Amino acid sequence: MTAIFKPTIIRFDSVDSTNLEAMRQAKAGAQEGLCVLAREQTEGRGRLDRSWHSPKDSGLYLSLILRPRLEMNVWPLLTLTAALAVADALRRACALNADIKWPNDLVVNDRKLCGILAETVETNSVPAAILGIGINLTNEVLSPDISVTATCVETATGVRPAAELVLLELTRAFGERYDFLQSQGGAEHTIREWCANSSYGIGRRVRVSMSDEVFEGTTRGLESDGALRVETNSGKIRIVRAGDVTALRATENQ
Ligand code: BT5
């Protein structure tokens, strides 16, 4: 397979949010592959208007502009592709095995190390995808309010990681996986890979929090668009397209 994805990195000392900056650049005509990287974000964003703590030089904060050659209904697979690429990069650059939590987190011992925010933006004639990735590298990121649920590479490995190496491995791994996603059979392959690399894919007891409802069940793999299949306690399969998933201990609420 010929590699097509070629990142071009533009660096900022400080931005409001690399996703917002990437949106501005995409609207101004930037091509696929532009990667906005910042040493800090003053308004780092999570999903649903949540924020992402982004202190200076403590993490990797970047956003890629993508113009996927994919039907829009499978664009959610971009988040899963990015999660796989972050897992690859952490393994290669830091010898760290992180778990992937549906839909957009990487965790170590159930603590969040990385969050991914995929958004779409209308540009001249076609929509573009903005794929934001935040990875906690060093301890400074763990402010008291998030330290109960968060971790970073330094805490997980005992070694302060080389940010540029993580960045290099991440852009490389994302390029490989993104090219693969867009090739024949790439969506099915990505879903198989995701299930193989996430403890949340099959047979995990979880609590699912959606905007208007919370329920518990056992994960049963992914739909073709990346939605999570969860079998409820009454044996019904629910398809979750948006929500937060928390792992339950095996003994909890069986
Ligand atoms: C996410 O949202 O996890 C998506 C985070 C994406 C961040 C990147 S950084 C580069 C790019 N530019 C942006 O502006 N954003 C992207 P969500 O699943 O909604 O999780 C958000 C929640 O994670 C918050 O409400 C906090 O509880 C928690 N949190 C905030 N900052 C954190 C951090 N640095 N480490 C771990 N958890 C954090």
PDB file of all heavy atoms in Angstrom, residues 175-199:
ATOM      1  N   GLY A 175      -0.432   7.984  10.310  1.00  0.00           N
ATOM      2  CA  GLY A 175      -0.391   7.920   8.843  1.00  0.00           C
ATOM      3  C   GLY A 175      -0.616   6.502   8.348  1.00  0.00           C
ATOM      4  O   GLY A 175      -1.422   6.274   7.432  1.00  0.00           O
ATOM      5  N   GLU A 176       0.042   5.536   8.966  1.00  0.00           N
ATOM      6  CA  GLU A 176      -0.116   4.128   8.542  1.00  0.00           C
ATOM      7  C   GLU A 176      -1.564   3.685   8.712  1.00  0.00           C
ATOM      8  O   GLU A 176      -2.173   3.110   7.823  1.00  0.00           O
ATOM      9  CB  GLU A 176       0.770   3.205   9.400  1.00  0.00           C
ATOM     10  CG  GLU A 176       2.261   3.374   9.182  1.00  0.00           C
ATOM     11  CD  GLU A 176       3.102   2.795  10.343  1.00  0.00           C
ATOM     12  OE1 GLU A 176       2.524   2.180  11.293  1.00  0.00           O
ATOM     13  OE2 GLU A 176       4.313   2.978  10.303  1.00  0.00           O
ATOM     14  N   ARG A 177      -2.102   3.972   9.882  1.00  0.00           N
ATOM     15  CA  ARG A 177      -3.458   3.473  10.185  1.00  0.00           C
ATOM     16  C   ARG A 177      -4.528   4.225   9.387  1.00  0.00           C
ATOM     17  O   ARG A 177      -5.544   3.655   9.020  1.00  0.00           O
ATOM     18  CB  ARG A 177      -3.728   3.551  11.689  1.00  0.00           C
ATOM     19  CG  ARG A 177      -2.892   2.536  12.468  1.00  0.00           C
ATOM     20  CD  ARG A 177      -3.452   2.298  13.836  1.00  0.00           C
ATOM     21  NE  ARG A 177      -2.714   1.281  14.572  1.00  0.00           N
ATOM     22  CZ  ARG A 177      -3.003  -0.013  14.557  1.00  0.00           C
ATOM     23  NH1 ARG A 177      -4.007  -0.468  13.833  1.00  0.00           N
ATOM     24  NH2 ARG A 177      -2.295  -0.866  15.266  1.00  0.00           N
ATOM     25  N   TYR A 178      -4.297   5.493   9.130  1.00  0.00           N
ATOM     26  CA  TYR A 178      -5.263   6.287   8.361  1.00  0.00           C
ATOM     27  C   TYR A 178      -5.268   5.828   6.899  1.00  0.00           C
ATOM     28  O   TYR A 178      -6.318   5.668   6.287  1.00  0.00           O
ATOM     29  CB  TYR A 178      -4.883   7.762   8.488  1.00  0.00           C
ATOM     30  CG  TYR A 178      -5.786   8.732   7.764  1.00  0.00           C
ATOM     31  CD1 TYR A 178      -7.149   8.805   8.063  1.00  0.00           C
ATOM     32  CD2 TYR A 178      -5.265   9.610   6.808  1.00  0.00           C
ATOM     33  CE1 TYR A 178      -7.968   9.727   7.409  1.00  0.00           C
ATOM     34  CE2 TYR A 178      -6.066  10.526   6.159  1.00  0.00           C
ATOM     35  CZ  TYR A 178      -7.421  10.582   6.460  1.00  0.00           C
ATOM     36  OH  TYR A 178      -8.228  11.496   5.817  1.00  0.00           O
ATOM     37  N   ASP A 179      -4.093   5.603   6.346  1.00  0.00           N
ATOM     38  CA  ASP A 179      -4.025   5.086   4.973  1.00  0.00           C
ATOM     39  C   ASP A 179      -4.744   3.734   4.896  1.00  0.00           C
ATOM     40  O   ASP A 179      -5.469   3.451   3.955  1.00  0.00           O
ATOM     41  CB  ASP A 179      -2.564   4.926   4.527  1.00  0.00           C
ATOM     42  CG  ASP A 179      -1.904   6.281   4.259  1.00  0.00           C
ATOM     43  OD1 ASP A 179      -2.627   7.273   4.075  1.00  0.00           O
ATOM     44  OD2 ASP A 179      -0.656   6.338   4.245  1.00  0.00           O
ATOM     45  N   PHE A 180      -4.526   2.915   5.920  1.00  0.00           N
ATOM     46  CA  PHE A 180      -5.155   1.595   5.946  1.00  0.00           C
ATOM     47  C   PHE A 180      -6.678   1.715   6.035  1.00  0.00           C
ATOM     48  O   PHE A 180      -7.408   1.019   5.336  1.00  0.00           O
ATOM     49  CB  PHE A 180      -4.629   0.794   7.144  1.00  0.00           C
ATOM     50  CG  PHE A 180      -4.480  -0.651   6.812  1.00  0.00           C
ATOM     51  CD1 PHE A 180      -3.227  -1.228   6.644  1.00  0.00           C
ATOM     52  CD2 PHE A 180      -5.602  -1.459   6.635  1.00  0.00           C
ATOM     53  CE1 PHE A 180      -3.102  -2.559   6.294  1.00  0.00           C
ATOM     54  CE2 PHE A 180      -5.486  -2.782   6.294  1.00  0.00           C
ATOM     55  CZ  PHE A 180      -4.234  -3.341   6.121  1.00  0.00           C
ATOM     56  N   LEU A 181      -7.128   2.627   6.892  1.00  0.00           N
ATOM     57  CA  LEU A 181      -8.580   2.818   7.066  1.00  0.00           C
ATOM     58  C   LEU A 181      -9.252   3.115   5.733  1.00  0.00           C
ATOM     59  O   LEU A 181     -10.370   2.670   5.472  1.00  0.00           O
ATOM     60  CB  LEU A 181      -8.824   3.965   8.056  1.00  0.00           C
ATOM     61  CG  LEU A 181     -10.275   4.420   8.240  1.00  0.00           C
ATOM     62  CD1 LEU A 181     -11.113   3.320   8.896  1.00  0.00           C
ATOM     63  CD2 LEU A 181     -10.336   5.693   9.092  1.00  0.00           C
ATOM     64  N   GLN A 182      -8.537   3.885   4.880  1.00  0.00           N
ATOM     65  CA  GLN A 182      -9.150   4.312   3.626  1.00  0.00           C
ATOM     66  C   GLN A 182      -8.941   3.316   2.487  1.00  0.00           C
ATOM     67  O   GLN A 182      -9.370   3.549   1.365  1.00  0.00           O
ATOM     68  CB  GLN A 182      -8.598   5.675   3.236  1.00  0.00           C
ATOM     69  CG  GLN A 182      -8.987   6.731   4.263  1.00  0.00           C
ATOM     70  CD  GLN A 182      -8.469   8.090   3.888  1.00  0.00           C
ATOM     71  OE1 GLN A 182      -9.182   8.916   3.346  1.00  0.00           O
ATOM     72  NE2 GLN A 182      -7.195   8.317   4.140  1.00  0.00           N
ATOM     73  N   SER A 183      -8.247   2.219   2.783  1.00  0.00           N
ATOM     74  CA  SER A 183      -8.020   1.219   1.732  1.00  0.00           C
ATOM     75  C   SER A 183      -9.164   0.205   1.749  1.00  0.00           C
ATOM     76  O   SER A 183     -10.012   0.211   2.652  1.00  0.00           O
ATOM     77  CB  SER A 183      -6.660   0.542   1.933  1.00  0.00           C
ATOM     78  OG  SER A 183      -6.698  -0.208   3.124  1.00  0.00           O
ATOM     79  N   GLN A 184      -9.179  -0.667   0.750  1.00  0.00           N
ATOM     80  CA  GLN A 184     -10.221  -1.705   0.649  1.00  0.00           C
ATOM     81  C   GLN A 184     -10.281  -2.535   1.931  1.00  0.00           C
ATOM     82  O   GLN A 184      -9.244  -3.039   2.380  1.00  0.00           O
ATOM     83  CB  GLN A 184      -9.830  -2.615  -0.534  1.00  0.00           C
ATOM     84  CG  GLN A 184     -10.790  -3.717  -0.849  1.00  0.00           C
ATOM     85  CD  GLN A 184     -11.863  -3.204  -1.807  1.00  0.00           C
ATOM     86  OE1 GLN A 184     -11.590  -2.339  -2.617  1.00  0.00           O
ATOM     87  NE2 GLN A 184     -13.056  -3.715  -1.665  1.00  0.00           N
ATOM     88  N   GLY A 185     -11.437  -2.640   2.526  1.00  0.00           N
ATOM     89  CA  GLY A 185     -11.588  -3.450   3.745  1.00  0.00           C
ATOM     90  C   GLY A 185     -11.019  -2.790   4.990  1.00  0.00           C
ATOM     91  O   GLY A 185     -10.930  -3.401   6.055  1.00  0.00           O
ATOM     92  N   GLY A 186     -10.631  -1.503   4.853  1.00  0.00           N
ATOM     93  CA  GLY A 186      -9.942  -0.824   5.949  1.00  0.00           C
ATOM     94  C   GLY A 186     -10.814  -0.607   7.189  1.00  0.00           C
ATOM     95  O   GLY A 186     -10.331  -0.677   8.321  1.00  0.00           O
ATOM     96  N   ALA A 187     -12.102  -0.360   6.967  1.00  0.00           N
ATOM     97  CA  ALA A 187     -12.983  -0.106   8.111  1.00  0.00           C
ATOM     98  C   ALA A 187     -13.110  -1.376   8.957  1.00  0.00           C
ATOM     99  O   ALA A 187     -12.977  -1.319  10.193  1.00  0.00           O
ATOM    100  CB  ALA A 187     -14.352   0.354   7.615  1.00  0.00           C
ATOM    101  N   GLU A 188     -13.344  -2.497   8.300  1.00  0.00           N
ATOM    102  CA  GLU A 188     -13.487  -3.775   9.029  1.00  0.00           C
ATOM    103  C   GLU A 188     -12.182  -4.101   9.760  1.00  0.00           C
ATOM    104  O   GLU A 188     -12.180  -4.542  10.910  1.00  0.00           O
ATOM    105  CB  GLU A 188     -13.837  -4.924   8.076  1.00  0.00           C
ATOM    106  CG  GLU A 188     -15.169  -4.784   7.360  1.00  0.00           C
ATOM    107  CD  GLU A 188     -15.143  -3.773   6.204  1.00  0.00           C
ATOM    108  OE1 GLU A 188     -14.055  -3.341   5.780  1.00  0.00           O
ATOM    109  OE2 GLU A 188     -16.233  -3.387   5.739  1.00  0.00           O
ATOM    110  N   HIS A 189     -11.066  -3.868   9.066  1.00  0.00           N
ATOM    111  CA  HIS A 189      -9.767  -4.150   9.672  1.00  0.00           C
ATOM    112  C   HIS A 189      -9.550  -3.285  10.916  1.00  0.00           C
ATOM    113  O   HIS A 189      -9.082  -3.761  11.952  1.00  0.00           O
ATOM    114  CB  HIS A 189      -8.663  -3.885   8.635  1.00  0.00           C
ATOM    115  CG  HIS A 189      -7.281  -3.976   9.192  1.00  0.00           C
ATOM    116  ND1 HIS A 189      -6.609  -5.164   9.333  1.00  0.00           N
ATOM    117  CD2 HIS A 189      -6.456  -3.017   9.688  1.00  0.00           C
ATOM    118  CE1 HIS A 189      -5.425  -4.932   9.874  1.00  0.00           C
ATOM    119  NE2 HIS A 189      -5.301  -3.643  10.105  1.00  0.00           N
ATOM    120  N   THR A 190      -9.918  -2.002  10.808  1.00  0.00           N
ATOM    121  CA  THR A 190      -9.735  -1.076  11.938  1.00  0.00           C
ATOM    122  C   THR A 190     -10.560  -1.535  13.139  1.00  0.00           C
ATOM    123  O   THR A 190     -10.096  -1.496  14.284  1.00  0.00           O
ATOM    124  CB  THR A 190     -10.126   0.359  11.505  1.00  0.00           C
ATOM    125  OG1 THR A 190      -9.274   0.750  10.429  1.00  0.00           O
ATOM    126  CG2 THR A 190     -10.005   1.341  12.655  1.00  0.00           C
ATOM    127  N   ILE A 191     -11.777  -1.976  12.868  1.00  0.00           N
ATOM    128  CA  ILE A 191     -12.634  -2.427  13.966  1.00  0.00           C
ATOM    129  C   ILE A 191     -12.055  -3.680  14.624  1.00  0.00           C
ATOM    130  O   ILE A 191     -12.015  -3.786  15.860  1.00  0.00           O
ATOM    131  CB  ILE A 191     -14.076  -2.644  13.447  1.00  0.00           C
ATOM    132  CG1 ILE A 191     -14.706  -1.266  13.241  1.00  0.00           C
ATOM    133  CG2 ILE A 191     -14.902  -3.495  14.394  1.00  0.00           C
ATOM    134  CD1 ILE A 191     -16.019  -1.276  12.541  1.00  0.00           C
ATOM    135  N   ARG A 192     -11.556  -4.593  13.803  1.00  0.00           N
ATOM    136  CA  ARG A 192     -10.921  -5.801  14.384  1.00  0.00           C
ATOM    137  C   ARG A 192      -9.715  -5.428  15.237  1.00  0.00           C
ATOM    138  O   ARG A 192      -9.518  -5.921  16.338  1.00  0.00           O
ATOM    139  CB  ARG A 192     -10.476  -6.756  13.256  1.00  0.00           C
ATOM    140  CG  ARG A 192     -11.572  -7.693  12.761  1.00  0.00           C
ATOM    141  CD  ARG A 192     -10.969  -8.842  11.973  1.00  0.00           C
ATOM    142  NE  ARG A 192     -10.148  -8.402  10.850  1.00  0.00           N
ATOM    143  CZ  ARG A 192     -10.623  -8.056   9.650  1.00  0.00           C
ATOM    144  NH1 ARG A 192     -11.910  -8.106   9.415  1.00  0.00           N
ATOM    145  NH2 ARG A 192      -9.809  -7.664   8.684  1.00  0.00           N
ATOM    146  N   GLU A 193      -8.890  -4.534  14.700  1.00  0.00           N
ATOM    147  CA  GLU A 193      -7.701  -4.091  15.430  1.00  0.00           C
ATOM    148  C   GLU A 193      -8.071  -3.420  16.751  1.00  0.00           C
ATOM    149  O   GLU A 193      -7.436  -3.607  17.772  1.00  0.00           O
ATOM    150  CB  GLU A 193      -6.932  -3.070  14.577  1.00  0.00           C
ATOM    151  CG  GLU A 193      -6.075  -3.671  13.531  1.00  0.00           C
ATOM    152  CD  GLU A 193      -4.765  -4.131  14.149  1.00  0.00           C
ATOM    153  OE1 GLU A 193      -3.918  -3.300  14.446  1.00  0.00           O
ATOM    154  OE2 GLU A 193      -4.622  -5.347  14.352  1.00  0.00           O
ATOM    155  N   TRP A 194      -9.134  -2.604  16.682  1.00  0.00           N
ATOM    156  CA  TRP A 194      -9.554  -1.889  17.890  1.00  0.00           C
ATOM    157  C   TRP A 194      -9.980  -2.898  18.961  1.00  0.00           C
ATOM    158  O   TRP A 194      -9.574  -2.786  20.118  1.00  0.00           O
ATOM    159  CB  TRP A 194     -10.707  -0.923  17.555  1.00  0.00           C
ATOM    160  CG  TRP A 194     -11.001   0.012  18.678  1.00  0.00           C
ATOM    161  CD1 TRP A 194     -10.459   1.240  18.878  1.00  0.00           C
ATOM    162  CD2 TRP A 194     -11.869  -0.236  19.795  1.00  0.00           C
ATOM    163  NE1 TRP A 194     -10.953   1.778  20.048  1.00  0.00           N
ATOM    164  CE2 TRP A 194     -11.810   0.894  20.627  1.00  0.00           C
ATOM    165  CE3 TRP A 194     -12.684  -1.295  20.169  1.00  0.00           C
ATOM    166  CZ2 TRP A 194     -12.531   1.001  21.813  1.00  0.00           C
ATOM    167  CZ3 TRP A 194     -13.405  -1.199  21.357  1.00  0.00           C
ATOM    168  CH2 TRP A 194     -13.326  -0.068  22.158  1.00  0.00           C
ATOM    169  N   CYS A 195     -10.775  -3.887  18.534  1.00  0.00           N
ATOM    170  CA  CYS A 195     -11.250  -4.887  19.508  1.00  0.00           C
ATOM    171  C   CYS A 195     -10.075  -5.683  20.075  1.00  0.00           C
ATOM    172  O   CYS A 195     -10.092  -6.075  21.245  1.00  0.00           O
ATOM    173  CB  CYS A 195     -12.274  -5.823  18.868  1.00  0.00           C
ATOM    174  SG  CYS A 195     -13.865  -5.011  18.604  1.00  0.00           S
ATOM    175  N   ALA A 196      -9.035  -5.886  19.249  1.00  0.00           N
ATOM    176  CA  ALA A 196      -7.880  -6.653  19.716  1.00  0.00           C
ATOM    177  C   ALA A 196      -7.015  -5.847  20.687  1.00  0.00           C
ATOM    178  O   ALA A 196      -6.260  -6.404  21.475  1.00  0.00           O
ATOM    179  CB  ALA A 196      -7.035  -7.104  18.519  1.00  0.00           C
ATOM    180  N   ASN A 197      -7.133  -4.521  20.606  1.00  0.00           N
ATOM    181  CA  ASN A 197      -6.261  -3.665  21.423  1.00  0.00           C
ATOM    182  C   ASN A 197      -6.964  -2.976  22.579  1.00  0.00           C
ATOM    183  O   ASN A 197      -6.351  -2.157  23.270  1.00  0.00           O
ATOM    184  CB  ASN A 197      -5.606  -2.598  20.536  1.00  0.00           C
ATOM    185  CG  ASN A 197      -4.458  -3.169  19.728  1.00  0.00           C
ATOM    186  OD1 ASN A 197      -3.344  -3.281  20.217  1.00  0.00           O
ATOM    187  ND2 ASN A 197      -4.740  -3.582  18.501  1.00  0.00           N
ATOM    188  N   SER A 198      -8.247  -3.269  22.756  1.00  0.00           N
ATOM    189  CA  SER A 198      -8.996  -2.618  23.829  1.00  0.00           C
ATOM    190  C   SER A 198      -9.655  -3.656  24.716  1.00  0.00           C
ATOM    191  O   SER A 198     -10.323  -4.568  24.217  1.00  0.00           O
ATOM    192  CB  SER A 198     -10.084  -1.712  23.230  1.00  0.00           C
ATOM    193  OG  SER A 198     -10.984  -1.308  24.244  1.00  0.00           O
ATOM    194  N   SER A 199      -9.520  -3.478  26.019  1.00  0.00           N
ATOM    195  CA  SER A 199     -10.188  -4.406  26.932  1.00  0.00           C
ATOM    196  C   SER A 199     -11.679  -4.085  27.025  1.00  0.00           C
ATOM    197  O   SER A 199     -12.440  -4.797  27.667  1.00  0.00           O
ATOM    198  CB  SER A 199      -9.547  -4.341  28.317  1.00  0.00           C
ATOM    199  OG  SER A 199      -9.948  -3.149  28.955  1.00  0.00           O
TER     200      SER A 199
END
